[in-house]
Amino acid sequence: VNPSNTLTQPKVTAILAPGVTWENKTRSNNGSGPSGYNSRTSTVTWDLVEIPAGTGIISEPYEAYFQISITPSSNQVGSPVDLLRNIKLEAADSFTQEKIIKTLPTLTTSNISDSEESGNIKD
């Protein structure tokens, strides 16, 4: 979502938590899904040309989807499990030229938006 000035050269990155596996299945609602996965650093990257002003306000928000998997260990039963860490958007404001950096909290099995369950691992 971008309520103000157009953002140029936006880049979203996230690091897969330990034990999470990249499944190499991606898509997005704007035609430019995640552009890469670095298996050495476990980093997912989504490079965009720009995020126009009003995205998510007067037009649909940009969304990227990718599939990951995890096989929880027995000590994770009854607990949420980390999926993505160090989630960050970096871009430049096209009007002010100011660098924009937005970070998000760790994504766990308890705070993913498409989960119908509580997010706790069940035995």
Side-chain angles (χ1 to χ4, degrees), residues 3-15:
S4 59
N5 301 325
T6 295
L7 298 179
T8 59
Q9 299 180 332
K11 178 179 183 177
V12 180
T13 57
I15 299 174

Side-chain angles (χ1 to χ4, degrees), residues 12-65:
V12 180
T13 57
I15 299 174
L16 272 58
V20 176
T21 303
W22 176 253
E23 297 295 339
N24 202 30
K25 295 179 184 175
T26 67
R27 68 180 174 88
S28 73
N29 68 342
N30 74 334
S32 64
S35 50
Y37 173 69
N38 182 323
S39 60
R40 186 178 55 77
T41 61
S42 298
T43 302
V44 179
T45 303
W46 187 20
D47 287 305
L48 296 140
V49 175
E50 68 177 23
I51 302 175
T55 299
I57 306 298
I58 59 174
S59 63
E60 292 294 315
Y62 282 11
E63 296 177 331
Y65 310 90

Side-chain angles (χ1 to χ4, degrees), residues 3 5 12 14 28 31 36 38 45 51 69 76 81 100-101 103 121:
N5 301 325
V12 180
S28 73
N38 182 323
T45 303
I51 302 175
S69 63
Q76 293 173 314
V81 176
I100 307 294
I101 299 174
T103 58
I121 303 303

Side-chain angles (χ1 to χ4, degrees), residues 104-123:
L104 297 174
T106 296
L107 185 68
T108 72
T109 54
S110 287
N111 64 7
I112 55 177
S113 62
D114 61 352
S115 175
E116 295 179 9
E117 299 292 325
S118 68
N120 290 341
I121 303 303
K122 302 195 181 350
D123 53 355

